[in-house]
Amino acid sequence: MARLLCSLISLVCLLFCLSDVVTQLTGETALQCPAGRDGRDGQPGSSGLNGRDGIPGAAGRDGKDGAPGRDGGAGLNGEKGDTGDTGLQGAAGIPGTCPPCQLPKRNITHCTWDASNDDRDSGVIHQCSLIKQRGQTAILVRWTGNLRSKTTGSKTCSRWWITFNGVECDDPARIDVQIYNGMSGHNFLAPSIVEGICYNIEEGTVNVQLHVGDCRPGNEHGDAYTGWNSVSRMIIEEIEL
């Protein structure tokens, strides 16, 4: 039945198509066939060839700033620069303190000899010691007592001098006294002072001695006497320059 129906429809369509042909040949209107249904989609064709490259587009806008990168490694040291100009002098600082290196209020030694009655004509008469605290200080020494130089023949002079650890002072000068007596038999004992300051003495124990002997520049000593029936004393003090 279905086949018969399809055959009839095809026959009708054929009649319409023949009518259209007659119309085209004779110019008379013939019976028109209705439009048929759309056919099914055909199968996809093969891919075409790639097209040519297009013209480069215009430059795009600048992008936003990116996040900061990590710190790089340390670079090599640069060349040494030229010496700069001398700067201005700074203001004076606050005076510093140095308790360990400060001297005591007074570093002083005092030695005494009562009635030493020393009749030696040469040699060491008295010795007193001081512990010196600093190298850049000086020493003040003072010896007091009575002295005598008695003439014996041509020997008319005696000298008393101070040494520091066995050496006479040479900065600034020696510390001494000389007594000349030209009167034969004259036995005069007088109070005397041997005093001075000496620099450049190292710190530590300093033995200070009073000597007696020949006069300078080479006169032989007379009959000397030191500390007759009285107190002789030696005062030694470390002092700041």
Side-chain angles (χ1 to χ4, degrees):
M1 184 66 180
R3 290 181 179 179
L4 180 60
L5 182 59
C6 288
S7 297
L8 291 174
I9 293 172
S10 297
L11 182 59
V12 173
C13 289
L14 179 61
L15 292 174
F16 277 105
C17 289
L18 290 174
S19 178
D20 186 52
V21 172
V22 172
T23 301
Q24 291 180 0
L25 293 174
T26 63
E28 294 180 358
T29 301
L31 180 64
Q32 292 184 351
C33 295
R37 289 182 293 181
D38 294 336
R40 294 181 181 177
D41 293 335
Q43 293 183 354
S46 300
S47 299
L49 299 175
N50 294 331
R52 295 181 180 178
D53 295 335
I55 299 173
R61 297 179 182 176
D62 293 337
K64 295 182 179 180
D65 293 338
R70 296 180 180 178
D71 294 338
L76 299 176
N77 294 331
E79 296 182 359
K80 184 177 180 181
D82 297 333
T83 302
D85 296 333
T86 303
L88 299 176
Q89 182 174 355
I94 301 173
T97 58
C98 181
C101 60
Q102 288 179 345
L103 288 172
K105 204 164 188 181
R106 290 187 74 176
N107 185 19
I108 189 168
T109 299
H110 183 199
C111 299
T112 60
W113 300 267
D114 189 7
S116 54
N117 294 323
D118 196 316
D119 63 353
R120 278 178 287 187
D121 296 332
S122 63
V124 177
I125 303 297
H126 293 147
Q127 176 175 305
C128 188
S129 299
L130 172 78
I131 298 178
K132 194 168 181 283
Q133 302 294 324
R134 298 172 62 190
Q136 63 268 35
T137 54
I139 288 183
L140 167 66
V141 60
R142 175 184 296 163
W143 180 94
T144 61
N146 64 57
L147 303 175
R148 181 205 70 185
S149 180
K150 186 178 178 180
T151 298
T152 55
S154 61
K155 301 175 182 179
T156 58
C157 181
S158 294
R159 173 177 176 251
W160 287 260
W161 67 92
I162 297 292
T163 62
F164 301 89
N165 292 330
V167 180
E168 279 197 80
C169 181
D170 61 0
D171 187 6
R174 62 184 179 274
I175 302 172
D176 66 348
V177 297
Q178 294 191 146
I179 297 177
Y180 174 83
N181 184 2
M183 296 184 292
S184 179
H186 185 232
N187 186 24
F188 180 70
L189 295 108
S192 303
I193 298 175
V194 184
E195 179 179 22
I197 295 175
C198 190
Y199 307 116
N200 289 329
I201 299 176
E202 295 183 356
E203 61 186 87
T205 300
V206 180
N207 296 316
V208 183
Q209 296 175 327
L210 175 71
H211 298 251
V212 65
D214 295 340
C215 283
R216 295 173 58 87
N219 297 319
E220 291 184 316
H221 60 78
D223 182 4
Y225 204 92
T226 306
W228 179 74
N229 289 340
S230 60
V231 174
S232 301
R233 69 186 71 248
M234 184 184 292
I235 299 172
I236 312 168
E237 183 175 5
E238 182 177 8
I239 61 174
E240 293 286 350
L241 301 178

